[in-house]
Structures are given as structure tokens and as C-alpha cells.
mmCIF file with all atom_site columns, all heavy atoms in Angstrom:
data_model
loop_
_atom_site.group_PDB
_atom_site.id
_atom_site.type_symbol
_atom_site.label_atom_id
_atom_site.label_alt_id
_atom_site.label_comp_id
_atom_site.label_asym_id
_atom_site.label_entity_id
_atom_site.label_seq_id
_atom_site.pdbx_PDB_ins_code
_atom_site.Cartn_x
_atom_site.Cartn_y
_atom_site.Cartn_z
_atom_site.occupancy
_atom_site.B_iso_or_equiv
_atom_site.pdbx_formal_charge
_atom_site.auth_seq_id
_atom_site.auth_comp_id
_atom_site.auth_asym_id
_atom_site.auth_atom_id
_atom_site.pdbx_PDB_model_num
ATOM 1   N N   . SER A 1 1  ? 9.819   42.242 33.924 1.00 78.00 ? 1008 SER A N   1
ATOM 2   C CA  . SER A 1 1  ? 8.991   43.417 34.154 1.00 78.00 ? 1008 SER A CA  1
ATOM 3   C C   . SER A 1 1  ? 7.524   43.021 34.024 1.00 78.00 ? 1008 SER A C   1
ATOM 4   O O   . SER A 1 1  ? 7.189   42.125 33.249 1.00 78.00 ? 1008 SER A O   1
ATOM 5   C CB  . SER A 1 1  ? 9.336   44.489 33.119 1.00 78.00 ? 1008 SER A CB  1
ATOM 6   O OG  . SER A 1 1  ? 8.380   45.513 33.125 1.00 78.00 ? 1008 SER A OG  1
ATOM 7   N N   . SER A 1 2  ? 6.659   43.709 34.760 1.00 76.00 ? 1009 SER A N   1
ATOM 8   C CA  . SER A 1 2  ? 5.233   43.380 34.682 1.00 76.00 ? 1009 SER A CA  1
ATOM 9   C C   . SER A 1 2  ? 4.496   44.219 33.639 1.00 76.00 ? 1009 SER A C   1
ATOM 10  O O   . SER A 1 2  ? 3.319   44.016 33.404 1.00 76.00 ? 1009 SER A O   1
ATOM 11  C CB  . SER A 1 2  ? 4.575   43.564 36.043 1.00 76.00 ? 1009 SER A CB  1
ATOM 12  O OG  . SER A 1 2  ? 4.623   44.913 36.433 1.00 76.00 ? 1009 SER A OG  1
ATOM 13  N N   . ASP A 1 3  ? 5.191   45.141 32.988 1.00 81.00 ? 1010 ASP A N   1
ATOM 14  C CA  . ASP A 1 3  ? 4.489   46.007 32.043 1.00 81.00 ? 1010 ASP A CA  1
ATOM 15  C C   . ASP A 1 3  ? 5.109   46.029 30.643 1.00 81.00 ? 1010 ASP A C   1
ATOM 16  O O   . ASP A 1 3  ? 4.855   46.924 29.857 1.00 81.00 ? 1010 ASP A O   1
ATOM 17  C CB  . ASP A 1 3  ? 4.381   47.417 32.599 1.00 81.00 ? 1010 ASP A CB  1
ATOM 18  C CG  . ASP A 1 3  ? 5.708   48.012 32.990 1.00 81.00 ? 1010 ASP A CG  1
ATOM 19  O OD1 . ASP A 1 3  ? 6.746   47.347 32.797 1.00 81.00 ? 1010 ASP A OD1 1
ATOM 20  O OD2 . ASP A 1 3  ? 5.719   49.140 33.498 1.00 81.00 ? 1010 ASP A OD2 1
ATOM 21  N N   . ARG A 1 4  ? 5.885   45.028 30.313 1.00 83.00 ? 1011 ARG A N   1
ATOM 22  C CA  . ARG A 1 4  ? 6.489   44.944 28.981 1.00 83.00 ? 1011 ARG A CA  1
ATOM 23  C C   . ARG A 1 4  ? 5.789   43.840 28.192 1.00 83.00 ? 1011 ARG A C   1
ATOM 24  O O   . ARG A 1 4  ? 5.619   42.730 28.682 1.00 83.00 ? 1011 ARG A O   1
ATOM 25  C CB  . ARG A 1 4  ? 7.976   44.616 29.119 1.00 83.00 ? 1011 ARG A CB  1
ATOM 26  C CG  . ARG A 1 4  ? 8.717   44.676 27.813 1.00 83.00 ? 1011 ARG A CG  1
ATOM 27  C CD  . ARG A 1 4  ? 10.192  44.409 27.985 1.00 83.00 ? 1011 ARG A CD  1
ATOM 28  N NE  . ARG A 1 4  ? 10.757  45.374 28.922 1.00 83.00 ? 1011 ARG A NE  1
ATOM 29  C CZ  . ARG A 1 4  ? 11.879  45.184 29.588 1.00 83.00 ? 1011 ARG A CZ  1
ATOM 30  N NH1 . ARG A 1 4  ? 12.553  44.068 29.455 1.00 83.00 ? 1011 ARG A NH1 1
ATOM 31  N NH2 . ARG A 1 4  ? 12.338  46.103 30.408 1.00 83.00 ? 1011 ARG A NH2 1
ATOM 32  N N   . TYR A 1 5  ? 5.377   44.164 26.980 1.00 82.00 ? 1012 TYR A N   1
ATOM 33  C CA  . TYR A 1 5  ? 4.695   43.195 26.121 1.00 82.00 ? 1012 TYR A CA  1
ATOM 34  C C   . TYR A 1 5  ? 5.375   43.158 24.762 1.00 82.00 ? 1012 TYR A C   1
ATOM 35  O O   . TYR A 1 5  ? 5.835   44.175 24.258 1.00 82.00 ? 1012 TYR A O   1
ATOM 36  C CB  . TYR A 1 5  ? 3.223   43.599 25.904 1.00 82.00 ? 1012 TYR A CB  1
ATOM 37  C CG  . TYR A 1 5  ? 2.374   43.459 27.127 1.00 82.00 ? 1012 TYR A CG  1
ATOM 38  C CD1 . TYR A 1 5  ? 2.235   44.512 28.026 1.00 82.00 ? 1012 TYR A CD1 1
ATOM 39  C CD2 . TYR A 1 5  ? 1.699   42.276 27.394 1.00 82.00 ? 1012 TYR A CD2 1
ATOM 40  C CE1 . TYR A 1 5  ? 1.454   44.382 29.159 1.00 82.00 ? 1012 TYR A CE1 1
ATOM 41  C CE2 . TYR A 1 5  ? 0.909   42.134 28.525 1.00 82.00 ? 1012 TYR A CE2 1
ATOM 42  C CZ  . TYR A 1 5  ? 0.794   43.192 29.398 1.00 82.00 ? 1012 TYR A CZ  1
ATOM 43  O OH  . TYR A 1 5  ? 0.028   43.051 30.516 1.00 82.00 ? 1012 TYR A OH  1
ATOM 44  N N   . SER A 1 6  ? 5.385   41.984 24.158 1.00 83.00 ? 1013 SER A N   1
ATOM 45  C CA  . SER A 1 6  ? 5.870   41.857 22.780 1.00 83.00 ? 1013 SER A CA  1
ATOM 46  C C   . SER A 1 6  ? 4.661   41.949 21.853 1.00 83.00 ? 1013 SER A C   1
ATOM 47  O O   . SER A 1 6  ? 3.512   41.854 22.291 1.00 83.00 ? 1013 SER A O   1
ATOM 48  C CB  . SER A 1 6  ? 6.571   40.506 22.588 1.00 83.00 ? 1013 SER A CB  1
ATOM 49  O OG  . SER A 1 6  ? 5.622   39.456 22.638 1.00 83.00 ? 1013 SER A OG  1
ATOM 50  N N   . MET A 1 7  ? 4.914   42.096 20.578 1.00 87.00 ? 1014 MET A N   1
ATOM 51  C CA  . MET A 1 7  ? 3.813   42.118 19.611 1.00 87.00 ? 1014 MET A CA  1
ATOM 52  C C   . MET A 1 7  ? 3.066   40.781 19.649 1.00 87.00 ? 1014 MET A C   1
ATOM 53  O O   . MET A 1 7  ? 1.846   40.745 19.577 1.00 87.00 ? 1014 MET A O   1
ATOM 54  C CB  . MET A 1 7  ? 4.334   42.393 18.198 1.00 87.00 ? 1014 MET A CB  1
ATOM 55  C CG  . MET A 1 7  ? 4.809   43.818 17.996 1.00 87.00 ? 1014 MET A CG  1
ATOM 56  S SD  . MET A 1 7  ? 3.519   45.044 18.287 1.00 87.00 ? 1014 MET A SD  1
ATOM 57  C CE  . MET A 1 7  ? 2.452   44.744 16.908 1.00 87.00 ? 1014 MET A CE  1
ATOM 58  N N   . GLN A 1 8  ? 3.818   39.701 19.807 1.00 85.00 ? 1015 GLN A N   1
ATOM 59  C CA  . GLN A 1 8  ? 3.188   38.380 19.870 1.00 85.00 ? 1015 GLN A CA  1
ATOM 60  C C   . GLN A 1 8  ? 2.250   38.277 21.076 1.00 85.00 ? 1015 GLN A C   1
ATOM 61  O O   . GLN A 1 8  ? 1.180   37.699 20.996 1.00 85.00 ? 1015 GLN A O   1
ATOM 62  C CB  . GLN A 1 8  ? 4.250   37.274 19.924 1.00 85.00 ? 1015 GLN A CB  1
ATOM 63  C CG  . GLN A 1 8  ? 3.671   35.882 19.803 1.00 85.00 ? 1015 GLN A CG  1
ATOM 64  C CD  . GLN A 1 8  ? 2.983   35.666 18.451 1.00 85.00 ? 1015 GLN A CD  1
ATOM 65  O OE1 . GLN A 1 8  ? 3.547   35.953 17.408 1.00 85.00 ? 1015 GLN A OE1 1
ATOM 66  N NE2 . GLN A 1 8  ? 1.762   35.154 18.487 1.00 85.00 ? 1015 GLN A NE2 1
ATOM 67  N N   . ASP A 1 9  ? 2.654   38.860 22.200 1.00 81.00 ? 1016 ASP A N   1
ATOM 68  C CA  . ASP A 1 9  ? 1.794   38.862 23.396 1.00 81.00 ? 1016 ASP A CA  1
ATOM 69  C C   . ASP A 1 9  ? 0.463   39.533 23.082 1.00 81.00 ? 1016 ASP A C   1
ATOM 70  O O   . ASP A 1 9  ? -0.599  39.055 23.499 1.00 81.00 ? 1016 ASP A O   1
ATOM 71  C CB  . ASP A 1 9  ? 2.457   39.621 24.551 1.00 81.00 ? 1016 ASP A CB  1
ATOM 72  C CG  . ASP A 1 9  ? 3.726   38.974 25.037 1.00 81.00 ? 1016 ASP A CG  1
ATOM 73  O OD1 . ASP A 1 9  ? 3.892   37.747 24.855 1.00 81.00 ? 1016 ASP A OD1 1
ATOM 74  O OD2 . ASP A 1 9  ? 4.568   39.704 25.603 1.00 81.00 ? 1016 ASP A OD2 1
ATOM 75  N N   . LEU A 1 10 ? 0.517   40.630 22.351 1.00 83.00 ? 1017 LEU A N   1
ATOM 76  C CA  . LEU A 1 10 ? -0.708  41.362 22.029 1.00 83.00 ? 1017 LEU A CA  1
ATOM 77  C C   . LEU A 1 10 ? -1.593  40.562 21.073 1.00 83.00 ? 1017 LEU A C   1
ATOM 78  O O   . LEU A 1 10 ? -2.814  40.564 21.210 1.00 83.00 ? 1017 LEU A O   1
ATOM 79  C CB  . LEU A 1 10 ? -0.373  42.738 21.452 1.00 83.00 ? 1017 LEU A CB  1
ATOM 80  C CG  . LEU A 1 10 ? 0.404   43.654 22.407 1.00 83.00 ? 1017 LEU A CG  1
ATOM 81  C CD1 . LEU A 1 10 ? 0.777   44.955 21.717 1.00 83.00 ? 1017 LEU A CD1 1
ATOM 82  C CD2 . LEU A 1 10 ? -0.370  43.917 23.677 1.00 83.00 ? 1017 LEU A CD2 1
ATOM 83  N N   . PHE A 1 11 ? -0.977  39.849 20.140 1.00 83.00 ? 1018 PHE A N   1
ATOM 84  C CA  . PHE A 1 11 ? -1.756  38.983 19.239 1.00 83.00 ? 1018 PHE A CA  1
ATOM 85  C C   . PHE A 1 11 ? -2.407  37.830 20.007 1.00 83.00 ? 1018 PHE A C   1
ATOM 86  O O   . PHE A 1 11 ? -3.523  37.425 19.728 1.00 83.00 ? 1018 PHE A O   1
ATOM 87  C CB  . PHE A 1 11 ? -0.884  38.405 18.120 1.00 83.00 ? 1018 PHE A CB  1
ATOM 88  C CG  . PHE A 1 11 ? -0.448  39.419 17.102 1.00 83.00 ? 1018 PHE A CG  1
ATOM 89  C CD1 . PHE A 1 11 ? 0.888   39.529 16.755 1.00 83.00 ? 1018 PHE A CD1 1
ATOM 90  C CD2 . PHE A 1 11 ? -1.374  40.262 16.485 1.00 83.00 ? 1018 PHE A CD2 1
ATOM 91  C CE1 . PHE A 1 11 ? 1.299   40.467 15.808 1.00 83.00 ? 1018 PHE A CE1 1
ATOM 92  C CE2 . PHE A 1 11 ? -0.967  41.196 15.533 1.00 83.00 ? 1018 PHE A CE2 1
ATOM 93  C CZ  . PHE A 1 11 ? 0.374   41.302 15.202 1.00 83.00 ? 1018 PHE A CZ  1
ATOM 94  N N   . ASP A 1 12 ? -1.661  37.310 20.997 1.00 85.00 ? 1019 ASP A N   1
ATOM 95  C CA  . ASP A 1 12 ? -2.112  36.150 21.775 1.00 85.00 ? 1019 ASP A CA  1
ATOM 96  C C   . ASP A 1 12 ? -2.995  36.520 22.967 1.00 85.00 ? 1019 ASP A C   1
ATOM 97  O O   . ASP A 1 12 ? -3.482  35.626 23.661 1.00 85.00 ? 1019 ASP A O   1
ATOM 98  C CB  . ASP A 1 12 ? -0.907  35.383 22.328 1.00 85.00 ? 1019 ASP A CB  1
ATOM 99  C CG  . ASP A 1 12 ? -0.068  34.728 21.256 1.00 85.00 ? 1019 ASP A CG  1
ATOM 100 O OD1 . ASP A 1 12 ? -0.556  34.604 20.120 1.00 85.00 ? 1019 ASP A OD1 1
ATOM 101 O OD2 . ASP A 1 12 ? 1.071   34.333 21.563 1.00 85.00 ? 1019 ASP A OD2 1
ATOM 102 N N   . ALA A 1 13 ? -3.199  37.801 23.194 1.00 80.00 ? 1020 ALA A N   1
ATOM 103 C CA  . ALA A 1 13 ? -3.772  38.302 24.446 1.00 80.00 ? 1020 ALA A CA  1
ATOM 104 C C   . ALA A 1 13 ? -4.935  37.497 25.009 1.00 80.00 ? 1020 ALA A C   1
ATOM 105 O O   . ALA A 1 13 ? -4.870  37.033 26.140 1.00 80.00 ? 1020 ALA A O   1
ATOM 106 C CB  . ALA A 1 13 ? -4.170  39.767 24.293 1.00 80.00 ? 1020 ALA A CB  1
ATOM 107 N N   . GLU A 1 14 ? -5.996  37.322 24.290 1.00 76.00 ? 1021 GLU A N   1
ATOM 108 C CA  . GLU A 1 14 ? -7.181  36.693 24.863 1.00 76.00 ? 1021 GLU A CA  1
ATOM 109 C C   . GLU A 1 14 ? -7.170  35.178 24.820 1.00 76.00 ? 1021 GLU A C   1
ATOM 110 O O   . GLU A 1 14 ? -7.438  34.524 25.817 1.00 76.00 ? 1021 GLU A O   1
ATOM 111 C CB  . GLU A 1 14 ? -8.442  37.209 24.172 1.00 76.00 ? 1021 GLU A CB  1
ATOM 112 C CG  . GLU A 1 14 ? -8.814  38.605 24.624 1.00 76.00 ? 1021 GLU A CG  1
ATOM 113 C CD  . GLU A 1 14 ? -10.137 39.027 24.050 1.00 76.00 ? 1021 GLU A CD  1
ATOM 114 O OE1 . GLU A 1 14 ? -11.053 38.193 24.005 1.00 76.00 ? 1021 GLU A OE1 1
ATOM 115 O OE2 . GLU A 1 14 ? -10.240 40.188 23.650 1.00 76.00 ? 1021 GLU A OE2 1
ATOM 116 N N   . ASP A 1 15 ? -6.865  34.615 23.677 1.00 85.00 ? 1022 ASP A N   1
ATOM 117 C CA  . ASP A 1 15 ? -7.049  33.173 23.524 1.00 85.00 ? 1022 ASP A CA  1
ATOM 118 C C   . ASP A 1 15 ? -5.850  32.329 23.959 1.00 85.00 ? 1022 ASP A C   1
ATOM 119 O O   . ASP A 1 15 ? -6.017  31.180 24.346 1.00 85.00 ? 1022 ASP A O   1
ATOM 120 C CB  . ASP A 1 15 ? -7.452  32.820 22.099 1.00 85.00 ? 1022 ASP A CB  1
ATOM 121 C CG  . ASP A 1 15 ? -6.484  33.347 21.053 1.00 85.00 ? 1022 ASP A CG  1
ATOM 122 O OD1 . ASP A 1 15 ? -5.718  34.272 21.372 1.00 85.00 ? 1022 ASP A OD1 1
ATOM 123 O OD2 . ASP A 1 15 ? -6.502  32.847 19.917 1.00 85.00 ? 1022 ASP A OD2 1
ATOM 124 N N   . VAL A 1 16 ? -4.648  32.884 23.951 1.00 87.00 ? 1023 VAL A N   1
ATOM 125 C CA  . VAL A 1 16 ? -3.464  32.101 24.306 1.00 87.00 ? 1023 VAL A CA  1
ATOM 126 C C   . VAL A 1 16 ? -2.793  32.627 25.576 1.00 87.00 ? 1023 VAL A C   1
ATOM 127 O O   . VAL A 1 16 ? -2.499  31.860 26.492 1.00 87.00 ? 1023 VAL A O   1
ATOM 128 C CB  . VAL A 1 16 ? -2.438  32.094 23.141 1.00 87.00 ? 1023 VAL A CB  1
ATOM 129 C CG1 . VAL A 1 16 ? -1.162  31.370 23.537 1.00 87.00 ? 1023 VAL A CG1 1
ATOM 130 C CG2 . VAL A 1 16 ? -3.042  31.484 21.894 1.00 87.00 ? 1023 VAL A CG2 1
ATOM 131 N N   . LEU A 1 17 ? -2.576  33.912 25.631 1.00 86.00 ? 1024 LEU A N   1
ATOM 132 C CA  . LEU A 1 17 ? -1.790  34.505 26.712 1.00 86.00 ? 1024 LEU A CA  1
ATOM 133 C C   . LEU A 1 17 ? -2.447  34.363 28.080 1.00 86.00 ? 1024 LEU A C   1
ATOM 134 O O   . LEU A 1 17 ? -1.800  33.937 29.043 1.00 86.00 ? 1024 LEU A O   1
ATOM 135 C CB  . LEU A 1 17 ? -1.512  35.984 26.420 1.00 86.00 ? 1024 LEU A CB  1
ATOM 136 C CG  . LEU A 1 17 ? -0.650  36.718 27.435 1.00 86.00 ? 1024 LEU A CG  1
ATOM 137 C CD1 . LEU A 1 17 ? 0.723   36.073 27.540 1.00 86.00 ? 1024 LEU A CD1 1
ATOM 138 C CD2 . LEU A 1 17 ? -0.521  38.182 27.058 1.00 86.00 ? 1024 LEU A CD2 1
ATOM 139 N N   . LEU A 1 18 ? -3.706  34.704 28.184 1.00 88.00 ? 1025 LEU A N   1
ATOM 140 C CA  . LEU A 1 18 ? -4.372  34.650 29.484 1.00 88.00 ? 1025 LEU A CA  1
ATOM 141 C C   . LEU A 1 18 ? -4.374  33.244 30.073 1.00 88.00 ? 1025 LEU A C   1
ATOM 142 O O   . LEU A 1 18 ? -3.963  33.063 31.224 1.00 88.00 ? 1025 LEU A O   1
ATOM 143 C CB  . LEU A 1 18 ? -5.786  35.222 29.404 1.00 88.00 ? 1025 LEU A CB  1
ATOM 144 C CG  . LEU A 1 18 ? -6.500  35.367 30.746 1.00 88.00 ? 1025 LEU A CG  1
ATOM 145 C CD1 . LEU A 1 18 ? -5.709  36.235 31.712 1.00 88.00 ? 1025 LEU A CD1 1
ATOM 146 C CD2 . LEU A 1 18 ? -7.891  35.932 30.536 1.00 88.00 ? 1025 LEU A CD2 1
ATOM 147 N N   . PRO A 1 19 ? -4.775  32.203 29.321 1.00 90.00 ? 1026 PRO A N   1
ATOM 148 C CA  . PRO A 1 19 ? -4.713  30.851 29.893 1.00 90.00 ? 1026 PRO A CA  1
ATOM 149 C C   . PRO A 1 19 ? -3.289  30.427 30.279 1.00 90.00 ? 1026 PRO A C   1
ATOM 150 O O   . PRO A 1 19 ? -3.081  29.764 31.292 1.00 90.00 ? 1026 PRO A O   1
ATOM 151 C CB  . PRO A 1 19 ? -5.249  29.952 28.771 1.00 90.00 ? 1026 PRO A CB  1
ATOM 152 C CG  . PRO A 1 19 ? -6.047  30.857 27.898 1.00 90.00 ? 1026 PRO A CG  1
ATOM 153 C CD  . PRO A 1 19 ? -5.418  32.204 28.002 1.00 90.00 ? 1026 PRO A CD  1
ATOM 154 N N   . GLU A 1 20 ? -2.320  30.857 29.482 1.00 90.00 ? 1027 GLU A N   1
ATOM 155 C CA  . GLU A 1 20 ? -0.922  30.537 29.777 1.00 90.00 ? 1027 GLU A CA  1
ATOM 156 C C   . GLU A 1 20 ? -0.492  31.195 31.093 1.00 90.00 ? 1027 GLU A C   1
ATOM 157 O O   . GLU A 1 20 ? 0.121   30.553 31.954 1.00 90.00 ? 1027 GLU A O   1
ATOM 158 C CB  . GLU A 1 20 ? -0.049  31.028 28.620 1.00 90.00 ? 1027 GLU A CB  1
ATOM 159 C CG  . GLU A 1 20 ? 1.386   30.589 28.677 1.00 90.00 ? 1027 GLU A CG  1
ATOM 160 C CD  . GLU A 1 20 ? 2.155   31.077 27.452 1.00 90.00 ? 1027 GLU A CD  1
ATOM 161 O OE1 . GLU A 1 20 ? 1.639   30.957 26.321 1.00 90.00 ? 1027 GLU A OE1 1
ATOM 162 O OE2 . GLU A 1 20 ? 3.270   31.585 27.631 1.00 90.00 ? 1027 GLU A OE2 1
ATOM 163 N N   . LEU A 1 21 ? -0.823  32.472 31.255 1.00 90.00 ? 1028 LEU A N   1
ATOM 164 C CA  . LEU A 1 21 ? -0.487  33.186 32.483 1.00 90.00 ? 1028 LEU A CA  1
ATOM 165 C C   . LEU A 1 21 ? -1.184  32.586 33.695 1.00 90.00 ? 1028 LEU A C   1
ATOM 166 O O   . LEU A 1 21 ? -0.581  32.431 34.761 1.00 90.00 ? 1028 LEU A O   1
ATOM 167 C CB  . LEU A 1 21 ? -0.864  34.665 32.372 1.00 90.00 ? 1028 LEU A CB  1
ATOM 168 C CG  . LEU A 1 21 ? 0.109   35.565 31.651 1.00 90.00 ? 1028 LEU A CG  1
ATOM 169 C CD1 . LEU A 1 21 ? -0.442  36.981 31.577 1.00 90.00 ? 1028 LEU A CD1 1
ATOM 170 C CD2 . LEU A 1 21 ? 1.460   35.553 32.323 1.00 90.00 ? 1028 LEU A CD2 1
ATOM 171 N N   . VAL A 1 22 ? -2.452  32.265 33.555 1.00 93.00 ? 1029 VAL A N   1
ATOM 172 C CA  . VAL A 1 22 ? -3.217  31.668 34.653 1.00 93.00 ? 1029 VAL A CA  1
ATOM 173 C C   . VAL A 1 22 ? -2.576  30.351 35.075 1.00 93.00 ? 1029 VAL A C   1
ATOM 174 O O   . VAL A 1 22 ? -2.445  30.061 36.268 1.00 93.00 ? 1029 VAL A O   1
ATOM 175 C CB  . VAL A 1 22 ? -4.699  31.479 34.266 1.00 93.00 ? 1029 VAL A CB  1
ATOM 176 C CG1 . VAL A 1 22 ? -5.427  30.604 35.261 1.00 93.00 ? 1029 VAL A CG1 1
ATOM 177 C CG2 . VAL A 1 22 ? -5.388  32.837 34.144 1.00 93.00 ? 1029 VAL A CG2 1
ATOM 178 N N   . SER A 1 23 ? -2.157  29.553 34.104 1.00 94.00 ? 1030 SER A N   1
ATOM 179 C CA  . SER A 1 23 ? -1.536  28.266 34.398 1.00 94.00 ? 1030 SER A CA  1
ATOM 180 C C   . SER A 1 23 ? -0.224  28.428 35.169 1.00 94.00 ? 1030 SER A C   1
ATOM 181 O O   . SER A 1 23 ? 0.000   27.770 36.186 1.00 94.00 ? 1030 SER A O   1
ATOM 182 C CB  . SER A 1 23 ? -1.290  27.500 33.098 1.00 94.00 ? 1030 SER A CB  1
ATOM 183 O OG  . SER A 1 23 ? -0.581  26.332 33.346 1.00 94.00 ? 1030 SER A OG  1
ATOM 184 N N   . VAL A 1 24 ? 0.650   29.316 34.705 1.00 94.00 ? 1031 VAL A N   1
ATOM 185 C CA  . VAL A 1 24 ? 1.940   29.543 35.373 1.00 94.00 ? 1031 VAL A CA  1
ATOM 186 C C   . VAL A 1 24 ? 1.697   30.148 36.755 1.00 94.00 ? 1031 VAL A C   1
ATOM 187 O O   . VAL A 1 24 ? 2.301   29.713 37.746 1.00 94.00 ? 1031 VAL A O   1
ATOM 188 C CB  . VAL A 1 24 ? 2.868   30.440 34.520 1.00 94.00 ? 1031 VAL A CB  1
ATOM 189 C CG1 . VAL A 1 24 ? 4.130   30.789 35.288 1.00 94.00 ? 1031 VAL A CG1 1
ATOM 190 C CG2 . VAL A 1 24 ? 3.210   29.752 33.207 1.00 94.00 ? 1031 VAL A CG2 1
ATOM 191 N N   . HIS A 1 25 ? 0.818   31.121 36.850 1.00 95.00 ? 1032 HIS A N   1
ATOM 192 C CA  . HIS A 1 25 ? 0.475   31.751 38.129 1.00 95.00 ? 1032 HIS A CA  1
ATOM 193 C C   . HIS A 1 25 ? 0.003   30.692 39.124 1.00 95.00 ? 1032 HIS A C   1
ATOM 194 O O   . HIS A 1 25 ? 0.441   30.659 40.277 1.00 95.00 ? 1032 HIS A O   1
ATOM 195 C CB  . HIS A 1 25 ? -0.604  32.817 37.900 1.00 95.00 ? 1032 HIS A CB  1
ATOM 196 C CG  . HIS A 1 25 ? -0.975  33.603 39.094 1.00 95.00 ? 1032 HIS A CG  1
ATOM 197 N ND1 . HIS A 1 25 ? -1.816  33.114 40.075 1.00 95.00 ? 1032 HIS A ND1 1
ATOM 198 C CD2 . HIS A 1 25 ? -0.645  34.861 39.490 1.00 95.00 ? 1032 HIS A CD2 1
ATOM 199 C CE1 . HIS A 1 25 ? -1.984  34.022 41.010 1.00 95.00 ? 1032 HIS A CE1 1
ATOM 200 N NE2 . HIS A 1 25 ? -1.274  35.095 40.676 1.00 95.00 ? 1032 HIS A NE2 1
ATOM 201 N N   . SER A 1 26 ? -0.881  29.816 38.693 1.00 97.00 ? 1033 SER A N   1
ATOM 202 C CA  . SER A 1 26 ? -1.410  28.757 39.562 1.00 97.00 ? 1033 SER A CA  1
ATOM 203 C C   . SER A 1 26 ? -0.323  27.794 40.009 1.00 97.00 ? 1033 SER A C   1
ATOM 204 O O   . SER A 1 26 ? -0.280  27.395 41.173 1.00 97.00 ? 1033 SER A O   1
ATOM 205 C CB  . SER A 1 26 ? -2.505  27.974 38.843 1.00 97.00 ? 1033 SER A CB  1
ATOM 206 O OG  . SER A 1 26 ? -3.584  28.802 38.549 1.00 97.00 ? 1033 SER A OG  1
ATOM 207 N N   . THR A 1 27 ? 0.552   27.440 39.094 1.00 97.00 ? 1034 THR A N   1
ATOM 208 C CA  . THR A 1 27 ? 1.645   26.524 39.421 1.00 97.00 ? 1034 THR A CA  1
ATOM 209 C C   . THR A 1 27 ? 2.580   27.145 40.449 1.00 97.00 ? 1034 THR A C   1
ATOM 210 O O   . THR A 1 27 ? 2.962   26.501 41.437 1.00 97.00 ? 1034 THR A O   1
ATOM 211 C CB  . THR A 1 27 ? 2.432   26.139 38.152 1.00 97.00 ? 1034 THR A CB  1
ATOM 212 O OG1 . THR A 1 27 ? 1.541   25.512 37.233 1.00 97.00 ? 1034 THR A OG1 1
ATOM 213 C CG2 . THR A 1 27 ? 3.594   25.213 38.459 1.00 97.00 ? 1034 THR A CG2 1
ATOM 214 N N   . TRP A 1 28 ? 2.952   28.394 40.235 1.00 97.00 ? 1035 TRP A N   1
ATOM 215 C CA  . TRP A 1 28 ? 3.837   29.078 41.178 1.00 97.00 ? 1035 TRP A CA  1
ATOM 216 C C   . TRP A 1 28 ? 3.154   29.243 42.529 1.00 97.00 ? 1035 TRP A C   1
ATOM 217 O O   . TRP A 1 28 ? 3.766   28.996 43.568 1.00 97.00 ? 1035 TRP A O   1
ATOM 218 C CB  . TRP A 1 28 ? 4.256   30.435 40.629 1.00 97.00 ? 1035 TRP A CB  1
ATOM 219 C CG  . TRP A 1 28 ? 5.239   30.382 39.497 1.00 97.00 ? 1035 TRP A CG  1
ATOM 220 C CD1 . TRP A 1 28 ? 5.686   29.279 38.820 1.00 97.00 ? 1035 TRP A CD1 1
ATOM 221 C CD2 . TRP A 1 28 ? 5.896   31.490 38.906 1.00 97.00 ? 1035 TRP A CD2 1
ATOM 222 N NE1 . TRP A 1 28 ? 6.567   29.641 37.847 1.00 97.00 ? 1035 TRP A NE1 1
ATOM 223 C CE2 . TRP A 1 28 ? 6.725   30.995 37.873 1.00 97.00 ? 1035 TRP A CE2 1
ATOM 224 C CE3 . TRP A 1 28 ? 5.854   32.860 39.133 1.00 97.00 ? 1035 TRP A CE3 1
ATOM 225 C CZ2 . TRP A 1 28 ? 7.516   31.825 37.084 1.00 97.00 ? 1035 TRP A CZ2 1
ATOM 226 C CZ3 . TRP A 1 28 ? 6.641   33.698 38.342 1.00 97.00 ? 1035 TRP A CZ3 1
ATOM 227 C CH2 . TRP A 1 28 ? 7.474   33.177 37.328 1.00 97.00 ? 1035 TRP A CH2 1
ATOM 228 N N   . ALA A 1 29 ? 1.907   29.675 42.522 1.00 97.00 ? 1036 ALA A N   1
ATOM 229 C CA  . ALA A 1 29 ? 1.179   29.879 43.781 1.00 97.00 ? 1036 ALA A CA  1
ATOM 230 C C   . ALA A 1 29 ? 1.035   28.560 44.535 1.00 97.00 ? 1036 ALA A C   1
ATOM 231 O O   . ALA A 1 29 ? 1.196   28.517 45.761 1.00 97.00 ? 1036 ALA A O   1
ATOM 232 C CB  . ALA A 1 29 ? -0.191  30.491 43.510 1.00 97.00 ? 1036 ALA A CB  1
ATOM 233 N N   . ARG A 1 30 ? 0.742   27.474 43.830 1.00 97.00 ? 1037 ARG A N   1
ATOM 234 C CA  . ARG A 1 30 ? 0.611   26.167 44.481 1.00 97.00 ? 1037 ARG A CA  1
ATOM 235 C C   . ARG A 1 30 ? 1.940   25.757 45.106 1.00 97.00 ? 1037 ARG A C   1
ATOM 236 O O   . ARG A 1 30 ? 1.992   25.259 46.218 1.00 97.00 ? 1037 ARG A O   1
ATOM 237 C CB  . ARG A 1 30 ? 0.126   25.111 43.485 1.00 97.00 ? 1037 ARG A CB  1
ATOM 238 C CG  . ARG A 1 30 ? -0.144  23.758 44.142 1.00 97.00 ? 1037 ARG A CG  1
ATOM 239 C CD  . ARG A 1 30 ? -0.670  22.696 43.185 1.00 97.00 ? 1037 ARG A CD  1
ATOM 240 N NE  . ARG A 1 30 ? 0.272   22.433 42.106 1.00 97.00 ? 1037 ARG A NE  1
ATOM 241 C CZ  . ARG A 1 30 ? 0.077   22.751 40.821 1.00 97.00 ? 1037 ARG A CZ  1
ATOM 242 N NH1 . ARG A 1 30 ? -1.041  23.333 40.443 1.00 97.00 ? 1037 ARG A NH1 1
ATOM 243 N NH2 . ARG A 1 30 ? 0.982   22.493 39.916 1.00 97.00 ? 1037 ARG A NH2 1
#
């Protein structure tokens, strides 16, 4: 789902989650 978050996701939101998502998104798109 694109709208489900865990508590850990919310803790990681800015410093961990966003770079992780960008990396996976880029890999899939490539």
C-alpha cells in the first residue's frame, strides 16, 4: 500500500526513510 506507515517509518522519516525510498525508486526506474 502507498499510504501505510509503521511507527519506525515515522521515526526514520527525514534522515533514513527518504534516502532509502529515493534509492529504491531510482533502482526500479532505472
